[in-house]
Amino acid sequence: MITDIRVELLHTPDCPNLDATRSLLESCVSELGLALTVIDRVGEFPSPTILVNGADVMGHPLSGNASCRLELPTRERILEALQA
């Protein structure tokens, strides 16, 4: 059983990819039957970024630069991170 997972969705204000990424994350959480709250953080981040237990699901170190990500979180990476 999966327990003690901290999931954060980091984004800049008005990120054009936020809604699709949020929907994908919610779908993955539901698919795995997890009961968890996603922490939504707005700030100076590569946007959107999904952190699971502090690690970027795409495997990149988190920088403090606000920018639009070119490599968006994928279903496969999100599921893998949630199950790790």
Side-chain angles (χ1 to χ4, degrees), residues 21-73:
T21 300
R22 185 188 317 265
S23 179
L24 177 61
L25 176 57
E26 290 170 356
S27 174
C28 290
V29 167
S30 178
E31 181 178 330
L32 294 175
L34 300 174
L36 56 82
T37 301
V38 174
I39 300 163
D40 193 281
R41 294 179 50 203
V42 180
E44 301 294 312
F45 309 108
S47 184
T49 294
I50 297 173
L51 301 180
V52 175
N53 295 330
D56 183 346
V57 299
M58 296 306 290
H60 303 294
L62 186 61
S63 72
N65 299 329
S67 62
C68 220
R69 288 187 81 143
L70 299 177
E71 183 182 27
L72 297 176

